[in-house]
Amino acid sequence: GNTLSPHTIEYLKGWMMHPDHIQNPYPTEEEKTQIMAATGIEKKQLTCWFSNNRKRFWRPKMDKLRADYGLSDTEPLPAALLATAASMTALAPTTVVANPPPPTLSNDLINDDILAADILAAVGCQP
């Protein structure tokens, strides 16, 4: 199907929020190749996922950090703060649930298992 596996979503979020990438979550072409090899997703899925999650997850999280610490949009976030943000998204071991509850939408997309197809269709990225 068009759903991204929980492992793939964890991998992508882990990459995005890693201290090396959190300030600039835009993978290079070489990094995209590595991510596609590690996850088995196609380039269009990868591009759409990053585009969507920068808007829906990463940007609000960065805005909240700036607001919480009284920083303007132009001030760089301190390294310690970025490490904290990255650790809040650390890759936890995946637990397999026999009968998981149906996915629900909320404001905190990090905890949601949203069908990739739904997101892609909503932004016109349908493969």
Side-chain angles (χ1 to χ4, degrees):
N2 284 325
T3 62
L4 295 182
S5 72
H7 166 78
T8 297
I9 293 168
E10 280 185 30
Y11 185 98
L12 294 170
K13 285 181 176 165
W15 191 97
M16 176 180 269
M17 298 306 288
H18 188 276
D20 291 346
H21 309 128
I22 192 169
Q23 292 192 82
N24 186 35
Y26 294 83
T28 63
E29 289 307 310
E30 186 179 331
E31 288 167 332
K32 286 178 186 177
T33 301
Q34 292 168 350
I35 294 168
M36 289 185 297
T39 60
I41 64 174
E42 294 173 16
K43 188 168 187 176
K44 191 163 192 174
Q45 287 176 298
L46 177 71
T47 304
C48 282
W49 188 91
F50 271 96
S51 176
N52 289 328
N53 280 278
R54 278 190 297 264
K55 288 180 212 146
R56 296 186 182 140
F57 169 67
W58 177 81
R59 171 59 58 200
K61 196 173 257 331
M62 294 298 103
D63 288 348
K64 183 175 184 337
L65 281 175
R66 287 181 183 287
D68 288 351
Y69 291 89
L71 299 170
S72 74
D73 286 347
T74 55
E75 288 178 277
L77 289 167
L81 203 53
L82 293 171
T84 301
S87 69
M88 294 184 321
T89 319
L91 297 182
T94 306
T95 356
V96 178
V97 181
N99 294 304
T104 56
L105 289 176
S106 76
N107 291 330
D108 191 6
L109 294 185
I110 189 78
N111 294 320
D112 290 339
D113 294 322
I114 295 177
L115 295 180
D118 292 344
I119 292 173
L120 296 178
V123 294
C125 290
Q126 198 61 23

